[in-house]
Amino acid sequence: MRTLRKPSNILLQIDATQLRGMGSVINQIDIASFGSFQGLEWKKTVRDSGKNVKPFQRLNILYGRNYSGKTTLSRVFRSLETHKLPLNYFGSSFTVYGEKGNVAHTGLAGHSYDVRVYNRDFVTDNLSFLVNQEIGGVIKTFAIVGEQNKEIDDAIAAIEAKLGSVEGKAGLRFALEAKRKERDRAKSAYTTASNGLDDRLRSHAAEKIKKNPNFRSPVYNIEHIRRDIATTSKPGFVALTTEEQAGRLKLLKQEALPDITDTLVVALKLDSLTATAEPLLSKTITPTKAIEELLKDSALQLWVKQGMGHHREKRSTCAFCRQDLPHDIWQVLDEHFSKESGDLEASLDAAITSVTNEIGTITGLNTFAGAQFYVDERAAFEVSGKALSQALAVYKKDLEALKKSLETRKNNLFQPVALKTPSHDAQEIARHVADINALIAASNSKTATLEKDKTAARDALRLADVFAFADAITYEEELGRIATLKTTSDTAGTAFTDAEKEIRDAETEVQALRAKQKDERKGAERVNALLNNFFGHDGIKLEARDGADNATVKFEITRNGKSAYNLSEGECSLIAFCYFIAKLDDPESKGKDLIIYIDDPISSLDGNHIFFMFSLIESLIAKPVKKPDGSNSYRYKQLFISTHNLDFLKYLKRLSIPMKKLPAAEGVKAKSVSDHEHFMIERNGASSNIMLMPSYLKDYITEFHYLFHQIYKCKDQAAAAENHEPFFGFGNNLRKFLEAFLFFKFPYHDDKNDSFERIKKFFGEEEDTAVALVNRLNNEFSHLEAVPDRGFKPVEIPEIAKVANYVLDKIYASDKVQYNSLLKSIGEPERVS
């Protein structure tokens, strides 16, 4: 018989960093969809008899028959280790709840749980040779920390002390945290100020510029308003006045006008008229024989002259006094009004007519209207037109004065009249005429450039708006404040980056030092030591051989020094599990608070190997380590072990149970309690479920108790609506239970058909009907070969419930104490009647 060897020192080395406190654990799992798990809600299913929800503990033992869902559950944990879902698990949905935060199937890449899982997938990923021995696979190499080197350890310790920690409030890491907070604060202040200004710019651009129909800027955004503010900040920029803005707005409403085809022409004739009139006004004439009375009275003279036209050759009497005209009246008057005076009068009439015509011309000279001009020229035209009218009014007065002078001379032909000096300014009038003609030309040219002018007007109006907005928000001052905040943020960021680099350099140096302690060959040695010390397999080894490049190492399985093939299933299981245990000492795992999940490590192993597997788990994982103060420390943060093997489950009861201290409460002292729990994985139909392990498995671990529980479940036919599995397996379960129960009840019987005889003896020969019914269910319902049609008929639930109650009642009547003990083992209350 093989004996358990004492583990070598290399197996019992314990890194001080492994002796940690509990840390963060996983409490529960909800699985909406993952393989055989569908709709698992932890809080609804994992409850004790008092309906209290029971979470995972530090040590968790899980039992389930083959195909119940154990490996599927382990794959949930392995997805935490690999940070990705397994292949062909598309559409999966689950959430893991723990003290380091919840992790959903969509957040596998970012969680911080350190999980290591031993299951079928681990073997496939790391030891594919064991899966594909015929076609050849590989065994991934791994390094473990080699022998301790004091100088390297001291150097690492010094660097670690320099690095310190946030929790310890010392070292580079603690200082980095302060720099991180300062960086975040400075960055937040800069970002808030910058975003605040951007928000104001963006809001004004969208609400005041983009939506203003006058600006026609449908794609105006924050970059556009920044450019406009830069334009208004340039030297020489002058924003539009209120009046100018009004003018630009009018221009935007302006439609194209027809061209003004005429021009203003003003030809002043006063000089030529004066030249004609001046000799007439100054000419001196005398009558042939003057009538003194008329010379002295110009009005009378005019009256007489006018009267001559009414009387000559028309009347012989005076139209005024009715007296006969003197016979020489016409001779006397003709001698007074000579031909010279008549010629002068005619010349004066012609001059007066010319002046009168000029006055009429001036009155209707400027026929243009402001509506004919565009907005910009219209105002200038109104000014020039008004000025021209005023200048022409002065010119008209000069004409009227000349006309009056001519009329005065005409009325008194014999009296010269002095000519007044003109008041008008001919150059001014010409200037106004030129200005108006220039405005006509400018307005006509506007038709061709109207749209361009409108665009310029819109730009000017928009820039005026932006200029006022920038001034209102003190844009330049705000830019200066933000620039200062950015400098502060950049300085804090640089300080953080430099500190982070210093830490990274130090950590790199630590890794380099630890790399000097790594040795891949020792990984193979550790596996071999486990195989030899715990399982006595010194023939099968994991050899570390140089690779083809002589620079790398590869692992190879050998038997008696030669490459080994055709390994048995048991040998594969031993190698794979020892590989997993040894790999817990690789640099990626050693020293971390690990959540370890071991899925059904028993496969094709005999009884000794099962015990040795338990011993390996207990010695190197589960067994606590005493700290200097006498308290226990554990090599794991949380441990899960699942199995289908009842013998192995029995051994797992002997694992070292971790303890936890409950804090003191009012009236209750602090106390230590066990920190472990037992769970059961069951599969009903196509769906798996997790529940607390029944006491008959947790406390007794025998199939006998399990069979009794299955029969007990069938006593109430209504239970089939919720869980039909016990009813379908009732015949087989009843047969096996009665064989065990009655064998120990009646250990010896000389009849060959002792099983049937035991039934008759227990139930009583007088109850033939009951015996026949039990025998029918015991045989017919547990076998189909003799009655294959039974496989195509529904299970007779009422008949099963009747037999279950009959058997239970008979056991109770036979031995009440034993029956109540069986009830207690399955968590049911005692029967009292």
Side-chain angles (χ1 to χ4, degrees):
M1 180 177 177
R2 187 178 296 127
T3 57
L4 175 64
R5 303 185 186 183
K6 181 179 179 182
S8 63
N9 291 336
I10 190 172
L11 299 177
L12 297 179
Q13 291 174 355
I14 300 171
D15 194 311
T17 57
Q18 291 179 288
L19 307 182
R20 299 175 182 264
M22 180 56 187
S24 301
V25 298
I26 291 174
N27 298 321
Q28 60 190 55
I29 302 175
D30 287 343
I31 306 177
S33 177
F34 192 90
S36 62
F37 286 91
Q38 301 291 323
L40 170 63
E41 295 184 52
W42 186 276
K43 291 183 179 179
K44 290 184 179 180
T45 60
V46 189
R47 292 175 176 265
D48 60 16
S49 58
K51 303 303 179 182
N52 300 306
V53 177
K54 303 294 287 184
F56 285 131
Q57 300 295 320
R58 168 170 274 190
L59 173 62
N60 303 276
I61 308 300
L62 301 97
Y63 172 77
R65 293 191 170 188
N66 285 329
Y67 311 110
S68 62
K70 299 188 304 301
T71 298
T72 301
L73 181 62
S74 74
R75 283 177 173 148
V76 174
F77 282 81
R78 183 156 172 81
S79 67
L80 295 176
E81 178 181 2
T82 62
H83 298 278
K84 61 182 179 181
L85 290 172
L87 293 175
N88 303 320
Y89 274 75
F90 303 109
S92 297
S93 176
F94 61 83
T95 302
V96 176
Y97 301 89
E99 296 175 9
K100 270 192 175 180
N102 304 335
V103 183
H105 61 283
T106 56
L108 293 173
H111 72 84
S112 54
Y113 293 98
D114 289 315
V115 182
R116 299 293 181 270
V117 177
Y118 174 81
N119 65 1
R120 187 185 311 158
D121 296 338
F122 170 85
V123 176
T124 300
D125 290 346
N126 294 276
L127 301 107
S128 61
F129 173 80
L130 300 180
V131 181
N132 300 303
Q133 295 182 50
E134 294 183 1
I135 62 175
V138 299
I139 300 178
K140 292 183 180 178
T141 61
F142 65 91
I144 61 175
V145 176
E147 295 297 328
Q148 296 284 329
N149 183 296
K150 188 175 186 309
E151 292 182 359
I152 295 178
D153 284 346
D154 291 344
I156 292 175
I159 296 173
E160 290 289 358
K162 178 182 177 182
L163 288 171
S165 67
V166 176
E167 297 79 5
K169 296 183 178 181
L172 296 178
R173 292 192 179 105
F174 178 67
L176 179 68
E177 188 62 24
K179 287 182 172 63
R180 184 197 306 277
K181 292 178 180 178
E182 175 58 22
R183 179 203 62 179
D184 293 345
R185 183 205 63 77
K187 184 177 180 180
S188 176
Y190 162 67
T191 301
T192 300
S194 180
N195 289 345
L197 179 59
D198 285 352
D199 288 343
R200 298 175 77 176
L201 293 175
R202 193 174 289 109
S203 175
H204 192 83
E207 300 298 325
K208 302 300 182 181
I209 304 295
K210 186 176 180 179
K211 293 184 179 180
N212 191 323
N214 291 325
F215 300 148
R216 289 192 182 180
S217 301
V219 292
Y220 198 83
N221 56 35
I222 188 172
E223 296 304 323
H224 294 103
I225 197 171
R226 283 198 180 109
R227 287 200 293 267
D228 281 348
I229 291 177
T231 299
T232 62
S233 300
K234 292 179 180 178
F237 174 81
V238 178
L240 297 177
T241 64
T242 303
E243 293 76 12
E244 289 171 333
Q245 291 183 48
R248 297 299 192 282
L249 290 172
K250 289 180 181 178
L251 174 60
L252 296 181
K253 299 176 183 178
Q254 181 70 63
E255 298 298 330
L257 297 175
D259 284 352
I260 303 173
T261 57
D262 297 330
T263 57
L264 180 60
V265 178
V266 177
L268 301 181
K269 298 181 179 180
L270 182 59
D271 289 345
S272 62
L273 292 175
T274 301
T276 300
E278 187 173 13
L280 299 176
L281 293 174
S282 61
K283 186 176 182 180
T284 302
I285 61 172
T286 56
T288 303
K289 190 176 182 178
I291 302 174
E292 292 296 329
E293 187 177 5
L294 295 180
L295 290 175
K296 294 178 180 180
D297 190 343
S298 59
L300 179 60
Q301 181 174 253
L302 178 60
W303 180 75
V304 170
K305 183 170 180 58
Q306 292 174 347
M308 289 174 66
H310 294 291
H311 290 78
R312 190 190 290 272
E313 296 179 356
K314 295 178 181 178
R315 299 179 67 89
S316 60
T317 60
C318 178
F320 178 73
C321 65
R322 306 293 181 178
Q323 297 293 324
D324 291 334
L325 295 174
H327 67 280
D328 60 348
I329 187 61
W330 301 115
Q331 181 181 354
V332 172
L333 291 176
D334 285 341
E335 289 178 350
H336 183 81
F337 297 104
S338 65
K339 181 179 183 301
E340 185 181 13
S341 65
D343 293 339
L344 177 59
E345 183 177 12
S347 296
L348 288 171
D349 283 338
I352 289 172
T353 298
S354 296
V355 173
T356 300
N357 290 339
E358 178 69 359
I359 291 174
T361 299
I362 291 302
T363 301
L365 186 63
N366 186 9
T367 59
F368 299 108
Q372 293 177 272
F373 294 86
Y374 287 105
V375 174
D376 286 345
E377 288 72 30
R378 187 176 301 164
F381 168 76
E382 298 293 348
V383 173
S384 295
K386 183 178 180 181
L388 178 60
S389 296
Q390 293 173 348
L392 288 176
V394 176
Y395 175 67
K396 183 180 178 183
K397 287 182 180 180
D398 288 342
L399 289 173
E400 289 173 345
L402 177 59
K403 180 181 178 182
K404 185 177 181 181
S405 296
L406 290 170
E407 289 174 343
T408 300
R409 181 63 191 269
K410 178 184 176 182
N411 293 335
N412 192 355
L413 294 171
F414 304 103
Q415 183 64 44
V417 175
L419 186 63
K420 291 184 178 181
T421 302
S423 300
H424 74 279
D425 186 344
Q427 291 183 350
E428 178 186 0
I429 292 173
R431 186 171 62 253
H432 293 322
V433 171
D435 290 344
I436 291 174
N437 285 331
L439 292 173
I440 291 172
S443 185
N444 287 342
S445 66
K446 277 290 181 66
T447 302
T449 62
L450 179 60
E451 290 306 317
K452 182 178 180 181
D453 293 340
K454 285 185 177 181
T455 299
R458 291 189 186 97
D459 290 343
L461 287 169
R462 189 187 69 250
L463 290 175
D465 180 282
V466 170
F467 177 81
F469 166 71
D471 183 65
I473 66 172
T474 60
Y475 180 77
E476 293 299 331
E477 291 83 351
E478 190 66 12
L479 281 183
R481 186 175 75 88
I482 291 173
T484 301
L485 291 174
K486 186 177 188 308
T487 300
T488 302
S489 176
D490 290 345
T491 301
T494 300
F496 173 80
T497 302
D498 292 344
E500 191 177 42
K501 182 179 183 302
E502 185 179 4
I503 290 175
R504 191 164 54 248
D505 291 344
E507 290 174 340
T508 300
E509 186 177 355
V510 169
Q511 291 176 1
L513 290 171
R514 285 178 174 165
K516 295 179 180 180
Q517 296 178 318
K518 290 181 181 179
D519 189 345
E520 290 176 324
R521 297 180 184 278
K522 291 188 179 296
E525 291 177 8
R526 182 65 56 87
V527 174
N528 295 331
L530 293 173
L531 286 170
N532 187 29
N533 282 276
F534 282 89
F535 301 104
H537 271 281
D538 52 2
I540 295 179
K541 292 183 178 182
L542 190 64
E543 296 284 351
R545 302 189 184 279
D546 292 331
D549 57 1
N550 293 323
T552 59
V553 174
K554 67 176 183 178
F555 284 171
E556 182 179 343
I557 298 176
T558 64
R559 179 184 282 117
N560 300 322
K562 298 180 180 181
S563 296
Y565 295 93
N566 303 317
L567 299 172
S568 69
E569 189 174 348
E571 289 173 325
C572 290
S573 296
L574 293 178
I575 294 171
F577 193 69
C578 289
Y579 179 96
F580 173 77
I581 295 295
K583 202 170 187 301
L584 293 178
D585 279 334
D586 70 8
E588 286 72 31
S589 300
K590 191 175 181 67
K592 293 184 178 180
D593 287 331
L594 297 180
I595 297 175
I596 301 174
Y597 195 112
I598 301 173
D599 175 44
D600 218 351
I602 304 302
S603 178
S604 301
L605 297 179
D606 60 26
N608 278 341
H609 282 146
I610 292 174
F611 173 72
F612 293 146
M613 189 74 75
F614 155 75
S615 300
L616 180 62
I617 295 174
E618 166 66 12
S619 299
L620 298 185
I621 298 178
K623 187 176 181 180
V625 177
K626 289 294 182 180
K627 294 193 292 187
D629 62 359
S631 62
N632 287 336
S633 181
Y634 295 89
R635 298 175 174 89
Y636 60 90
K637 177 168 62 177
Q638 196 171 18
L639 179 60
F640 296 83
I641 305 175
S642 67
T643 185
H644 75 286
N645 187 287
L646 289 174
D647 287 336
F648 187 57
L649 181 63
K650 178 178 64 177
Y651 283 124
L652 292 178
K653 287 182 59 180
R654 304 180 187 179
L655 284 176
S656 297
I657 304 300
M659 304 298 289
K660 62 182 177 181
K661 182 171 290 186
L662 295 179
E666 185 175 354
V668 179
K669 293 182 179 180
K671 62 179 181 179
S672 295
V673 297
S674 66
D675 194 2
H676 80 297
E677 188 56 83
H678 292 73
F679 298 90
M680 187 168 182
I681 302 176
E682 278 195 342
R683 185 164 182 168
N684 293 322
S687 182
S688 299
N689 198 15
I690 302 175
M691 61 191 68
L692 290 178
M693 187 180 291
S695 61
Y696 67 83
L697 280 178
K698 179 180 178 181
D699 298 328
Y700 301 100
I701 317 178
T702 68
E703 188 174 9
F704 179 74
H705 294 84
Y706 172 79
L707 294 171
F708 176 78
H709 195 192
Q710 297 304 305
I711 295 170
Y712 188 82
K713 288 180 180 179
C714 296
K715 64 189 293 288
D716 183 2
Q717 67 181 37
E722 295 183 0
N723 186 7
H724 60 275
E725 293 289 336
F727 290 86
F728 274 99
F730 180 79
N732 192 49
N733 292 335
L734 178 62
R735 177 179 59 80
K736 292 174 69 177
F737 174 78
L738 289 179
E739 286 177 356
F741 177 75
L742 295 178
F743 178 81
F744 287 101
K745 188 78 174 177
F746 309 109
Y748 174 77
H749 202 280
D750 55 5
D751 193 283
K752 292 182 179 180
N753 191 7
D754 53 356
S755 177
F756 179 68
E757 292 300 322
R758 286 189 179 95
I759 292 176
K760 289 174 60 178
K761 190 172 184 179
F762 179 72
F763 289 102
E765 296 186 8
E766 70 279 3
E767 300 184 57
D768 292 337
T769 302
V771 171
L773 183 60
V774 170
N775 194 44
R776 177 190 171 200
L777 284 171
N778 190 26
N779 291 279
E780 180 181 328
F781 274 66
S782 63
H783 300 88
L784 289 178
E785 58 183 0
V787 281
D789 61 313
R790 279 298 307 155
F792 305 99
K793 294 181 180 180
V795 175
E796 298 176 5
I797 302 299
E799 190 173 352
I800 289 174
K802 180 178 179 181
V803 173
N805 281 289
Y806 178 76
V807 171
L808 294 173
D809 290 343
K810 192 66 178 176
I811 295 173
Y812 179 70
S814 174
D815 191 336
K816 294 181 176 62
V817 175
Q818 182 186 24
Y819 183 80
N820 282 326
S821 296
L822 288 170
L823 288 180
K824 186 176 180 181
S825 73
I826 63 173
E828 295 291 339
E830 290 187 358
R831 180 174 175 177
V832 295
S833 63

